[in-house]
mmCIF file of all heavy atoms in Angstrom:
data_model
loop_
_atom_site.group_PDB
_atom_site.id
_atom_site.type_symbol
_atom_site.label_atom_id
_atom_site.label_comp_id
_atom_site.label_asym_id
_atom_site.label_seq_id
_atom_site.Cartn_x
_atom_site.Cartn_y
_atom_site.Cartn_z
ATOM 1 N N PHE A 15 28.700 -14.740 27.903
ATOM 2 C CA PHE A 15 27.618 -13.786 27.628
ATOM 3 C C PHE A 15 26.443 -14.470 26.933
ATOM 4 O O PHE A 15 25.918 -14.000 25.915
ATOM 5 C CB PHE A 15 28.140 -12.611 26.788
ATOM 6 C CG PHE A 15 29.280 -11.868 27.445
ATOM 7 C CD1 PHE A 15 30.594 -12.141 27.091
ATOM 8 C CD2 PHE A 15 29.029 -10.925 28.427
ATOM 9 C CE1 PHE A 15 31.637 -11.473 27.702
ATOM 10 C CE2 PHE A 15 30.077 -10.259 29.047
ATOM 11 C CZ PHE A 15 31.384 -10.532 28.689
ATOM 12 N N LEU A 16 26.034 -15.588 27.524
ATOM 13 C CA LEU A 16 24.970 -16.406 26.942
ATOM 14 C C LEU A 16 23.689 -15.611 26.731
ATOM 15 O O LEU A 16 22.924 -15.868 25.793
ATOM 16 C CB LEU A 16 24.711 -17.603 27.859
ATOM 17 C CG LEU A 16 23.952 -18.785 27.290
ATOM 18 C CD1 LEU A 16 24.743 -19.463 26.186
ATOM 19 C CD2 LEU A 16 23.623 -19.789 28.395
ATOM 20 N N GLU A 17 23.450 -14.619 27.606
ATOM 21 C CA GLU A 17 22.215 -13.848 27.520
ATOM 22 C C GLU A 17 22.091 -13.116 26.186
ATOM 23 O O GLU A 17 20.972 -12.884 25.700
ATOM 24 C CB GLU A 17 22.119 -12.851 28.680
ATOM 25 C CG GLU A 17 23.154 -11.738 28.689
ATOM 26 C CD GLU A 17 24.487 -12.129 29.310
ATOM 27 O OE1 GLU A 17 24.681 -13.319 29.652
ATOM 28 O OE2 GLU A 17 25.351 -11.232 29.444
ATOM 29 N N ASN A 18 23.212 -12.762 25.558
ATOM 30 C CA ASN A 18 23.152 -12.078 24.261
ATOM 31 C C ASN A 18 22.624 -12.992 23.164
ATOM 32 O O ASN A 18 21.872 -12.570 22.280
ATOM 33 C CB ASN A 18 24.530 -11.553 23.878
ATOM 34 C CG ASN A 18 25.002 -10.420 24.764
ATOM 35 O OD1 ASN A 18 24.207 -9.618 25.239
ATOM 36 N ND2 ASN A 18 26.302 -10.345 25.000
ATOM 37 N N TYR A 19 23.025 -14.264 23.202
ATOM 38 C CA TYR A 19 22.551 -15.231 22.204
ATOM 39 C C TYR A 19 21.057 -15.497 22.395
ATOM 40 O O TYR A 19 20.297 -15.573 21.424
ATOM 41 C CB TYR A 19 23.333 -16.540 22.322
ATOM 42 C CG TYR A 19 24.819 -16.393 22.105
ATOM 43 C CD1 TYR A 19 25.694 -16.323 23.185
ATOM 44 C CD2 TYR A 19 25.363 -16.321 20.828
ATOM 45 C CE1 TYR A 19 27.065 -16.187 22.991
ATOM 46 C CE2 TYR A 19 26.725 -16.183 20.619
ATOM 47 C CZ TYR A 19 27.572 -16.108 21.719
ATOM 48 O OH TYR A 19 28.928 -15.973 21.524
ATOM 49 N N VAL A 20 20.654 -15.647 23.660
ATOM 50 C CA VAL A 20 19.238 -15.889 23.953
ATOM 51 C C VAL A 20 18.395 -14.713 23.484
ATOM 52 O O VAL A 20 17.331 -14.893 22.865
ATOM 53 C CB VAL A 20 19.038 -16.141 25.465
ATOM 54 C CG1 VAL A 20 17.554 -16.230 25.802
ATOM 55 C CG2 VAL A 20 19.754 -17.417 25.891
ATOM 56 N N LYS A 21 18.874 -13.499 23.749
ATOM 57 C CA LYS A 21 18.141 -12.303 23.325
ATOM 58 C C LYS A 21 17.985 -12.268 21.813
ATOM 59 O O LYS A 21 16.902 -11.963 21.291
ATOM 60 C CB LYS A 21 18.878 -11.052 23.806
ATOM 61 C CG LYS A 21 18.249 -9.747 23.324
ATOM 62 C CD LYS A 21 19.086 -8.551 23.736
ATOM 63 C CE LYS A 21 18.520 -7.261 23.135
ATOM 64 N NZ LYS A 21 19.346 -6.067 23.493
ATOM 65 N N ALA A 22 19.060 -12.580 21.086
ATOM 66 C CA ALA A 22 19.008 -12.540 19.622
ATOM 67 C C ALA A 22 18.030 -13.572 19.075
ATOM 68 O O ALA A 22 17.281 -13.284 18.136
ATOM 69 C CB ALA A 22 20.399 -12.773 19.046
ATOM 70 N N ILE A 23 18.028 -14.757 19.650
ATOM 71 C CA ILE A 23 17.097 -15.803 19.206
ATOM 72 C C ILE A 23 15.662 -15.426 19.532
ATOM 73 O O ILE A 23 14.762 -15.534 18.682
ATOM 74 C CB ILE A 23 17.466 -17.159 19.850
ATOM 75 C CG1 ILE A 23 18.798 -17.674 19.304
ATOM 76 C CG2 ILE A 23 16.353 -18.186 19.621
ATOM 77 C CD1 ILE A 23 18.827 -17.906 17.816
ATOM 78 N N ASN A 24 15.427 -14.959 20.735
ATOM 79 C CA ASN A 24 14.070 -14.604 21.135
ATOM 80 C C ASN A 24 13.536 -13.431 20.328
ATOM 81 O O ASN A 24 12.347 -13.384 19.983
ATOM 82 C CB ASN A 24 14.027 -14.283 22.631
ATOM 83 C CG ASN A 24 14.263 -15.510 23.498
ATOM 84 O OD1 ASN A 24 14.224 -16.638 23.014
ATOM 85 N ND2 ASN A 24 14.515 -15.302 24.784
ATOM 86 N N SER A 25 14.417 -12.478 20.000
ATOM 87 C CA SER A 25 13.977 -11.321 19.220
ATOM 88 C C SER A 25 13.659 -11.705 17.784
ATOM 89 O O SER A 25 12.963 -10.972 17.083
ATOM 90 C CB SER A 25 15.049 -10.226 19.236
ATOM 91 O OG SER A 25 16.203 -10.622 18.530
ATOM 92 N N SER A 26 14.159 -12.862 17.353
ATOM 93 C CA SER A 26 13.875 -13.366 16.011
ATOM 94 C C SER A 26 12.684 -14.318 15.998
ATOM 95 O O SER A 26 12.471 -15.063 15.049
ATOM 96 C CB SER A 26 15.110 -14.071 15.434
ATOM 97 O OG SER A 26 16.193 -13.177 15.354
#
Side-chain angles (χ1 to χ4, degrees):
F15 302 98
L16 197 65
E17 66 277 6
N18 292 327
Y19 300 99
V20 173
K21 176 185 175 182
I23 292 300
N24 291 347
S25 68
S26 300

